Amino acid sequence: MKQQKIKIGILGYGNIGRGVEIALRNSEDMELVGIFTRRDPLIIKSVYCKNIYSVNELEKWQDKIDVLILCGGSATDLPIQGPKYIKMFNTVDSFDTHSNIPKYYAEMNEKALANEKVGIISIGWDPGLFSLNRLLDNAFLSNGKTYTFWGEGVSQGHSDAIRRIEGVVDAVQFTIPVVESVEKVRSGTNPDLTTREKHTRECYVAVKDGYDKGIIEKEIKEMPSYFAEYDTFVHFVSLEEVKEKRGAMPHGGFVIHSAKTGINNEHKQLMEFSLNLDSNPEFTASIMVAFARAAYRLALKKDYGAKTIFDIPLKLLVAKSEEEVIKELL
Amino acid sequence: MKQQKIKIGILGYGNIGRGVEIALRNSEDMELVGIFTRRDPLIIKSVYCKNIYSVNELEKWQDKIDVLILCGGSATDLPIQGPKYIKMFNTVDSFDTHSNIPKYYAEMNEKALANEKVGIISIGWDPGLFSLNRLLDNAFLSNGKTYTFWGEGVSQGHSDAIRRIEGVVDAVQFTIPVVESVEKVRSGTNPDLTTREKHTRECYVAVKDGYDKGIIEKEIKEMPSYFAEYDTFVHFVSLEEVKEKRGAMPHGGFVIHSAKTGINNEHKQLMEFSLNLDSNPEFTASIMVAFARAAYRLALKKDYGAKTIFDIPLKLLVAKSEEEVIKELL
């Protein structure tokens, strides 16, 4: 008897949604049953999926979708969509507004339990894989210090902030770890680093004719929380150059933990997890697809509620039997 | 009301046992109730623990120990001690003979279930943390290729193999990753690497007077499975130099996963986990202590049986509440 495939729905067809569509091609135990969009389904150019529907039809799909992957953003989409759709579907999302996660978790957990659903939240690489490494660091060597560096890569939020400035046509912002600080951390000296010492910000900006570049540059560099606390470099380039720089949205970063063990704390111990990604959204999407497999399996076991990466036995992520996992991966 | 501490026993007082003793000093939610040894308890020089007993008394401690950490070796100790003590205690061990893990797992699982105990097996960094990374690599980017490199560091097994040669007083063997191969892997070209292309072996050997160094060198270099398939370098040094080189048994290594995503697999994605350890046994011991916490919590939930790192929600490793974990680490 052929095993039933896990039926996946995609909500929201931006960079992440498209990444999920692509990642599902490599997942033989899953099938994509439909992409749901707030836009007119007829104008969506998908990679291969022909089943594109209006989000308004989603309610009717409750029996036909095992896991709905929420591909919207954390600012405005997920706070509405998460609590709405967890009542109807098992979900996976990438909610990443760190300070609001406890509130979002509580709301998702309550509704998931009430409706016997599984909602895996805050999945991706940060929060997500980086969180997992921070947890392991803390678990094993709790007397050490954990450093998270992001980049070199495109920060969507910072690029958006520049684009909101009057006169800017397009912009892309690269977050870059300060090499000297990274080396200091890797040397095991556990330095105290200021915001400025950890990352620099490089901005590639295309402006409309007639606007004063000096004023725009000043506005960027003095923008509070986004740029004022950093060494920020602004490069005025053409619209084409901005697009080229953006590429597939490369990103990456590393979590480094530096601690000491021994009778007199005489032994340095260094743990590091790093990512170097040509495409941030496609990688994030690949992670979400694996967690959709876990959501399906948790639901089968009636282990309902909101879950984070910390709650899930990680064997649930792979399309392998218990025996294969032990034999091939342990 | 003060929370009860988790009561830990150590079985076997070698490098790992000593590392566990040290690691427990940093774990406020645990207390070390005793070290159990096959040697005469009176000759054991512990770091701080005064409660040192003969292993023969262990059976009487079933009500006084929550988790017994098995600090013996995989070759001869654990295959006996694991199945014996899982009948009486929740256990954590570092069983690392890869090819025998399925058999060991099955035996431990059966006995653990029959006696309502939790036995967490094969804990450390490989198997252990490296396994976890191999699993994540496979889960997220299953079309990629995973490479495990060990070193630079001391291989206990290879050092022992040299010491068994007649005329050798002491020896220490360093496993060293081949830099060019590591760089090739990191560049995303997914090379096929032979055993020789992945690691070299450096041996520091002290010999007795009157033995022919040429013969000993030849014997090392031609030893099947241990050295014959590698570029092996032999250095004859004094006994003091061997001890100095060995130090606290430094080790480390990295798991690198290189894969592609995109409509036409046009985007390279690189994941890497690495360790750089001054003391291999102290690090391994620190991991085992965190898993002892998980074993205790699983037993409280009556989630009995043998477990690997793949089976355990990782939040069980840290001495923090659910809320703290989400707020501080996610």
Side-chain angles (χ1 to χ4, degrees):
Chain A
M1 205 184 77
K2 209 170 149 240
Q3 195 159 4
Q4 197 85 10
K5 291 198 179 194
I6 305 170
K7 297 187 286 294
I8 303 290
I10 291 174
L11 173 56
Y13 196 71
N15 290 314
I16 299 275
R18 197 157 164 279
V20 169
E21 185 190 10
I22 294 169
L24 284 168
R25 284 197 308 202
N26 292 323
S27 309
E28 286 177 19
D29 60 333
M30 302 183 168
E31 69 180 307
L32 174 57
V33 298
I35 294 169
F36 297 83
T37 175
R38 282 174 299 190
R39 291 177 279 168
D40 176 359
L42 294 175
I43 65 159
I44 299 286
K45 285 203 185 87
S46 64
V47 179
Y48 64 86
C49 179
K50 302 277 179 254
N51 308 321
I52 302 169
Y53 308 100
S54 162
V55 67
N56 301 323
E57 297 189 34
L58 196 42
E59 287 184 36
K60 293 180 239 157
W61 284 76
Q62 294 182 51
D63 294 337
K64 290 172 242 163
I65 289 174
D66 293 317
V67 184
L68 182 68
I69 303 183
L70 308 181
C71 302
S74 299
T76 54
D77 301 331
L78 293 174
I80 307 291
Q81 293 176 344
K84 177 171 179 182
Y85 292 108
I86 191 65
K87 293 185 196 166
M88 308 176 214
F89 300 98
N90 301 307
T91 63
V92 174
D93 69 53
S94 62
F95 188 80
D96 68 356
T97 314
H98 274 89
S99 56
N100 292 341
I101 290 177
K103 185 172 163 285
Y104 185 71
Y105 172 84
E107 191 175 1
M108 290 294 279
N109 192 43
E110 188 216 308
K111 294 200 162 62
L113 289 172
N115 294 280
E116 302 198 333
K117 294 287 179 287
V118 175
I120 306 185
I121 70 161
S122 302
I123 290 303
W125 54 275
D126 198 358
L129 291 187
F130 276 18
S131 319
L132 195 68
N133 279 277
R134 287 189 289 260
L135 178 123
L136 295 174
D137 295 344
N138 191 285
F140 304 144
L141 301 169
S142 60
N143 66 341
K145 212 166 160 178
T146 308
Y147 297 83
T148 302
F149 289 93
W150 296 277
E152 164 169 350
V154 175
S155 164
Q156 201 72 356
H158 289 79
S159 302
D160 288 346
I162 301 172
R163 275 194 291 267
R164 283 193 292 266
I165 295 172
E166 209 193 316
V168 172
V169 191
D170 199 1
V172 60
Q173 192 269 185
F174 281 78
T175 306
I176 300 173
V178 176
V179 177
E180 297 75 29
S181 298
V182 175
E183 289 313 318
K184 255 187 224 165
V185 170
R186 286 205 185 112
S187 76
T189 56
N190 282 6
D192 288 315
L193 298 172
T194 63
T195 300
R196 191 178 301 273
E197 285 168 331
K198 288 187 73 188
H199 299 93
T200 55
R201 303 199 172 276
E202 296 272 349
C203 313
Y204 298 87
V205 186
V207 296
K208 278 182 209 150
D209 285 345
Y211 281 85
D212 185 326
K213 290 176 181 171
I215 292 173
I216 290 175
E217 177 166 349
K218 192 165 179 289
E219 199 168 335
I220 295 172
K221 288 185 168 178
E222 294 178 356
M223 200 185 293
S225 23
Y226 284 91
F227 295 103
E229 297 148 65
Y230 297 86
D231 286 338
T232 300
F233 304 92
V234 178
H235 313 276
F236 291 100
V237 298
S238 70
L239 195 54
E240 289 65 40
E241 282 171 288
V242 171
K243 286 206 166 66
E244 198 187 301
K245 279 277 175 195
R246 184 180 295 122
M249 282 181 276
H251 216 319
F254 17 97
V255 180
I256 308 176
H257 188 71
S258 163
K260 288 183 176 167
T261 63
I263 297 182
N264 302 304
N265 286 324
E266 66 275 33
H267 300 134
K268 283 186 200 171
Q269 312 278 26
L270 210 73
M271 305 167 67
E272 178 167 346
F273 178 75
S274 67
L275 294 171
N276 190 342
L277 311 170
D278 273 2
S279 168
N280 178 2
E282 285 174 6
F283 184 66
T284 299
S286 298
I287 302 176
M288 294 177 83
V289 166
F291 277 91
R293 184 178 291 120
Y296 174 75
R297 292 170 171 182
L298 288 169
L300 279 186
K301 294 197 283 179
K302 301 187 192 297
D303 188 353
Y304 303 125
K307 311 280 177 188
T308 72
I309 194 168
F310 301 144
D311 297 313
I312 300 169
L314 296 174
K315 66 178 173 186
L316 299 183
L317 297 177
V318 288
K320 288 179 183 287
S321 72
E322 196 108 3
E323 291 70 31
E324 288 170 327
V325 164
I326 289 180
K327 203 169 163 214
E328 297 168 20
L329 299 170
L330 194 65
Chain B
M1 204 185 76
K2 208 168 151 241
Q3 194 158 5
Q4 197 85 8
K5 292 198 180 195
I6 304 171
K7 298 187 286 293
I8 302 290
I10 291 174
L11 173 56
Y13 196 72
N15 290 315
I16 300 275
R18 196 158 165 278
V20 168
E21 185 191 10
I22 294 170
L24 284 168
R25 283 198 306 202
N26 292 322
S27 308
E28 286 177 20
D29 59 332
M30 302 183 168
E31 69 179 307
L32 175 56
V33 298
I35 294 169
F36 298 83
T37 176
R38 283 173 300 191
R39 291 177 278 168
D40 176 358
L42 293 175
I43 66 160
I44 299 286
K45 285 203 185 87
S46 64
V47 179
Y48 64 86
C49 179
K50 303 276 177 255
N51 309 320
I52 302 169
Y53 308 100
S54 161
V55 67
N56 301 322
E57 297 189 33
L58 196 42
E59 288 185 34
K60 293 181 239 158
W61 284 76
Q62 294 183 50
D63 295 337
K64 290 172 241 161
I65 289 174
D66 293 316
V67 184
L68 182 67
I69 303 183
L70 308 181
C71 302
S74 300
T76 54
D77 301 330
L78 293 174
I80 307 290
Q81 294 176 343
K84 177 171 180 184
Y85 291 108
I86 191 65
K87 294 184 196 166
M88 309 175 212
F89 300 98
N90 301 308
T91 62
V92 175
D93 70 53
S94 62
F95 188 81
D96 67 357
T97 314
H98 274 90
S99 57
N100 292 341
I101 291 176
K103 185 173 162 283
Y104 185 70
Y105 172 85
E107 192 175 0
M108 289 294 280
N109 192 44
E110 188 215 310
K111 294 202 162 60
L113 289 172
N115 294 280
E116 303 199 333
K117 293 287 179 287
V118 175
I120 306 186
I121 70 161
S122 301
I123 290 303
W125 56 274
D126 197 359
L129 290 187
F130 276 18
S131 319
L132 195 69
N133 279 276
R134 288 190 287 262
L135 179 124
L136 295 175
D137 294 345
N138 190 285
F140 304 145
L141 301 169
S142 60
N143 66 341
K145 212 165 161 178
T146 308
Y147 298 82
T148 303
F149 289 93
W150 296 277
E152 162 170 353
V154 175
S155 164
Q156 201 70 356
H158 289 80
S159 302
D160 288 346
I162 300 172
R163 276 194 290 265
R164 284 192 291 266
I165 295 172
E166 210 193 315
V168 171
V169 191
D170 198 2
V172 60
Q173 191 267 186
F174 281 79
T175 307
I176 300 174
V178 176
V179 178
E180 298 75 28
S181 299
V182 175
E183 289 313 318
K184 257 188 221 163
V185 170
R186 286 206 185 112
S187 76
T189 56
N190 282 6
D192 288 315
L193 298 172
T194 64
T195 299
R196 192 177 299 273
E197 286 169 329
K198 287 187 73 189
H199 299 93
T200 55
R201 302 200 173 277
E202 297 271 350
C203 314
Y204 298 87
V205 186
V207 296
K208 278 182 209 148
D209 285 346
Y211 281 84
D212 185 324
K213 290 178 180 171
I215 292 174
I216 290 175
E217 177 166 350
K218 193 165 177 290
E219 200 169 334
I220 294 172
K221 287 185 169 179
E222 294 178 356
M223 200 185 295
S225 22
Y226 284 91
F227 295 103
E229 298 148 64
Y230 297 86
D231 287 338
T232 300
F233 304 91
V234 178
H235 313 275
F236 291 101
V237 297
S238 69
L239 195 54
E240 288 66 40
E241 282 171 287
V242 171
K243 286 208 167 65
E244 198 187 301
K245 279 276 176 195
R246 185 182 294 123
M249 283 182 275
H251 217 319
F254 17 97
V255 180
I256 308 177
H257 189 70
S258 162
K260 287 182 176 169
T261 63
I263 297 182
N264 303 304
N265 286 325
E266 67 274 33
H267 300 134
K268 282 186 201 168
Q269 312 276 27
L270 210 73
M271 304 166 68
E272 177 167 345
F273 177 75
S274 66
L275 293 172
N276 191 341
L277 311 170
D278 274 1
S279 168
N280 179 0
E282 284 174 7
F283 184 66
T284 299
S286 298
I287 302 177
M288 294 176 83
V289 166
F291 276 91
R293 184 179 290 122
Y296 174 75
R297 291 171 172 182
L298 288 169
L300 278 187
K301 294 197 284 181
K302 301 185 191 298
D303 187 353
Y304 304 125
K307 312 280 176 187
T308 72
I309 194 168
F310 301 144
D311 297 313
I312 299 169
L314 297 174
K315 67 179 173 186
L316 298 183
L317 298 176
V318 288
K320 287 178 184 287
S321 71
E322 196 108 4
E323 291 70 32
E324 286 169 328
V325 165
I326 289 181
K327 202 169 164 216
E328 296 168 20
L329 300 169
L330 196 65

